[in-house]
Amino acid sequence: MAREKKTIEKARAASGEEIPRFQMEPMGNTGLKISSGIPTDNVHVRELLFPNSMSVYAKMGHDSTIASALNLFTMLIQRSKWSVRAPLSARDSAGMKENVEFLKSVMHDMDSPFSAFLQEVSSKIQYGFCVHEKVYRKRLKSKGSRFNDGKIGIKKLPVRSQTTITKFLYDTENELAGVKQNLAYMQTGYAQYANTAFTTTSEVVIPKSKLLLFRTGTQRDNPVGRSSLASVYFDWKYRCSIQENESVGVARDLGGIPIISIPPQYLSAEASPDQKAILAEYKNIIRNLNSGNQAGVIMPMAYDEISKQPLFKLDLLSLDGSKLFDTDTIIARYDRKILTTLMSDLLIMGQGTGGSYSLGTLKSELVNLAAESHLQEIADVLNKDLVPQLFQLNGIDAEYYPEFYFEDLSQTDVDLFSKFVQRVAAVGFLEKDVDTLNKIRSVAGIEPLPSDFDIEKFKEETSKTQSKSGQGMESGLNAGTGDQVGLGADASTNNLENAA
């Protein structure tokens, strides 16, 4: 007997529109506008449209105010301390310890130090994104490696300059498939890549499997991210205009405006060719004087027969009087806006009205938080792209892989941290293991424990020692743990930092 086929009514909205059934595949779109491989999403300024925006951001990076902010974050990112650890959920999995040690060795076996790689990646703050190519090698001493085990390691992670990236390539499913780099302006670039399978003319295509894409912000999965300089573009543009006008005004105040008086017939439309030539020469003299290309002027000593005044005369008109606007105040205002937007106004504290210590501490914390946000973006790309591919090239296909991590940039208050450790340890809530001890040593500025440290022996030795600092005030100030309070001492028991 055939089963009766059930009729399932499709859901409909109140407006009558049919609502499709659940699907595991994507049904919508991020809304990112891409035209011929060029993202155009939310760009309302022509100058900030990729790839033209790359030259604009490069020019803005030479501005002293913007450069100071960029250098601040580059320094913080480059000086951050990185290492490798096992994921919290897989610390005890088989082979994890060996994988952690292998990734650590790879990290320190690249041609360039890891800090140099971080310095290059920090350019994503300026341009919005940064492309690095993954270059692998067999770990053989003959190939420049410290090791000779034949495993696949990382040779280098070279940057691919933002100003050479011309297009992002997408597949039929609208997923990023690679980038196109233009080598036309590189002297040796074309010769180096001319024989590769991806090159047709002076361009090279780097597939997604070979690149690392770091971005400042991932809104709508935009491959170019969002440059931090985009928000200060107009402030920078207006301030540059004011500075240029100010410099012109200063030059005119110092040197004056050259004025050449000549007979009116030289300015007439009916002037003779010789008169027009003389007029053109005097115009050229004015241009040279204004630009500083002429040191002096030779003038003819010719006088009018009637007025007895010189026919040709050179004067410098000086501009006296005060200005209507204070350009220093206006420029300083734009500088503050730029640095505040770039989270770097800490740099100008004390240059104006001053600031308190607590305000400086707060701003330092904000700068560290902003830098750690960039560091987290870097760590996410490394752990989700580079690390799995590296282990798979070595034939290791695991559910969990080791991960790169960075230490907090904020300096821990040693006094507050010691009180926390003392209180928590006093009630038995602090484990005595290598990780805990290394954290305490790190805050204190002491080197971490060696890998062969005997933690069990340490537990046995420290279990015999118990602090009595909470008893001194209670039973006797000068007697330590005596029976009486010293003369004139406070009998209150305030030293309870580690009292159970």
Side-chain angles (χ1 to χ4, degrees):
M1 182 177 178
R3 295 181 61 182
E4 183 179 352
K5 189 174 182 179
K6 294 184 178 180
T7 301
I8 301 177
E9 293 186 4
K10 295 183 179 180
R12 292 184 178 276
S15 60
E17 294 175 299
E18 183 179 311
I19 300 178
R21 298 176 62 185
F22 169 80
Q23 297 180 17
M24 296 183 65
E25 295 78 11
M27 301 179 67
N29 191 281
T30 59
L32 178 66
K33 299 177 183 178
I34 301 176
S35 177
S36 300
I38 298 177
T40 60
D41 187 50
N42 288 338
V43 178
H44 305 292
V45 183
R46 185 181 183 86
E47 293 84 350
L48 301 185
L49 180 64
F50 178 84
N52 297 332
S53 57
M54 298 299 101
S55 60
V56 174
Y57 295 144
K59 184 177 180 180
M60 294 176 67
H62 292 291
D63 180 87
S64 57
T65 301
I66 294 177
S68 63
L70 295 177
N71 291 337
L72 173 63
F73 281 98
T74 298
M75 178 189 66
L76 290 174
I77 292 175
Q78 185 180 10
R79 295 184 70 252
S80 59
K81 297 180 180 179
W82 287 70
S83 189
V84 179
R85 65 185 178 190
L88 184 61
S89 56
R91 288 188 174 180
D92 299 326
S93 60
M96 180 56 70
K97 184 176 180 180
E98 291 77 11
N99 291 342
V100 169
E101 294 302 320
F102 170 69
L103 187 56
K104 282 183 180 179
S105 66
V106 170
M107 176 182 177
H108 299 290
D109 190 39
M110 296 192 297
D111 287 351
S112 300
F114 195 75
S115 59
F117 160 72
L118 293 175
Q119 183 181 21
E120 291 286 2
V121 177
S122 64
S123 64
K124 74 184 185 68
I125 303 174
Q126 178 177 356
Y127 294 97
F129 73 98
C130 186
V131 174
H132 285 253
E133 185 174 349
K134 295 175 282 189
V135 181
Y136 297 100
R137 69 178 170 194
K138 278 194 173 183
R139 302 210 308 179
L140 300 172
K141 291 188 176 181
S142 60
K143 294 184 179 294
S145 174
R146 299 180 184 178
F147 306 92
N148 210 33
D149 52 16
K151 294 182 179 180
I152 303 297
I154 301 174
K155 177 179 175 63
K156 56 184 177 179
L157 298 172
V159 67
R160 299 301 176 232
S161 175
Q162 291 89 343
T163 55
T164 64
I165 303 298
T166 59
K167 185 180 294 186
F168 291 87
L169 306 178
Y170 285 82
D171 58 19
T172 55
E173 297 181 358
N174 206 30
E175 295 290 338
L176 183 66
V179 299
K180 183 173 287 188
Q181 184 182 24
N182 191 344
L183 308 175
Y185 301 104
M186 299 172 59
Q187 293 181 356
T188 60
Y190 179 68
Q192 179 180 357
Y193 291 100
N195 296 324
T196 63
F198 303 106
T199 304
T200 56
T201 55
S202 61
E203 294 181 327
V204 58
V205 174
I206 307 176
K208 177 65 170 67
S209 58
K210 275 282 289 179
L211 62 86
L212 294 170
L213 178 61
F214 301 92
R215 293 173 288 178
T216 301
T218 57
Q219 290 84 356
R220 294 181 177 84
D221 202 22
N222 193 336
V224 300
R226 176 174 172 79
S227 169
S228 298
L229 304 189
S231 300
V232 300
Y233 172 71
F234 287 109
D235 293 320
W236 167 79
K237 183 178 179 180
Y238 297 151
R239 195 207 57 193
C240 287
S241 177
I242 294 173
Q243 285 180 315
E244 290 175 0
N245 291 331
E246 182 186 50
S247 63
V248 171
V250 170
R252 289 177 177 174
D253 281 352
L254 293 176
I257 300 177
I259 298 178
I260 296 180
S261 302
I262 62 176
Q265 57 267 26
Y266 286 77
L267 304 174
S268 173
E270 289 78 18
S272 66
D274 290 340
Q275 290 175 334
K276 291 181 178 179
I278 293 175
L279 176 62
E281 181 62 25
Y282 278 123
K283 288 182 177 179
N284 189 48
I285 290 175
I286 290 178
R287 284 192 292 266
N288 290 338
L289 289 174
N290 192 48
S291 60
N293 294 327
Q294 188 166 338
V297 181
I298 298 177
M299 302 290 293
M301 293 185 63
Y303 296 89
D304 182 74
E305 296 180 354
I306 300 176
S307 64
K308 306 300 181 182
Q309 296 296 321
L311 293 175
F312 303 91
K313 184 180 179 182
L314 172 63
D315 294 309
L316 289 176
L317 177 64
S318 61
L319 302 178
D320 299 325
S322 60
K323 302 297 184 295
L324 184 61
F325 299 102
D326 185 356
T327 55
D328 283 345
T329 302
I330 298 175
I331 292 174
R333 184 187 73 199
Y334 280 118
D335 282 343
R336 287 195 300 271
K337 291 179 65 178
I338 290 173
L339 290 175
T340 301
T341 304
L342 297 179
M343 304 290 290
S344 304
D345 53 324
L346 172 70
L347 297 173
I348 57 174
M349 281 194 64
Q351 297 184 15
T353 57
S356 64
Y357 175 80
S358 58
L359 179 61
T361 302
L362 175 61
K363 288 184 178 293
S364 297
E365 289 296 324
L366 290 176
V367 170
N368 288 333
L369 286 175
E372 288 176 359
S373 174
H374 294 298
L375 289 171
Q376 187 59 55
E377 291 172 338
I378 297 172
D380 289 341
V381 174
L382 294 176
N383 293 328
K384 293 180 180 179
D385 190 332
L386 179 64
V387 174
Q389 187 180 67
L390 173 64
F391 278 92
Q392 290 166 9
L393 288 173
N394 284 281
I396 302 175
D397 191 5
E399 185 176 356
Y400 296 99
Y401 297 105
E403 60 184 17
F404 288 102
Y405 77 96
F406 59 91
E407 296 183 8
D408 294 341
L409 297 179
S410 302
Q411 294 184 351
T412 305
D413 189 315
V414 179
D415 182 55
L416 294 177
F417 181 75
S418 62
K419 290 180 180 180
F420 166 78
V421 172
Q422 193 176 29
R423 292 168 180 172
V424 176
V427 294
F429 283 174
L430 191 65
E431 298 82 358
K432 292 183 179 180
D433 53 29
V434 175
D435 290 340
T436 302
L437 295 178
N438 280 337
K439 178 62 179 178
I440 296 175
R441 295 170 70 93
S442 174
V443 173
I446 306 175
E447 292 293 326
L449 296 169
S451 57
D452 58 349
F453 179 75
D454 191 346
I455 188 64
E456 297 301 327
K457 182 179 179 180
F458 173 78
K459 290 180 180 179
E460 181 180 353
E461 292 177 350
T462 54
S463 63
K464 303 174 184 179
T465 304
Q466 185 174 1
S467 174
K468 296 182 180 181
S469 59
Q471 300 177 13
M473 290 292 290
E474 180 179 6
S475 56
L477 179 66
N478 296 326
T481 56
D483 297 325
Q484 296 182 359
V485 178
L487 182 63
D490 185 4
S492 62
T493 56
N494 293 325
N495 189 14
L496 299 177
E497 297 291 356
N498 68 338

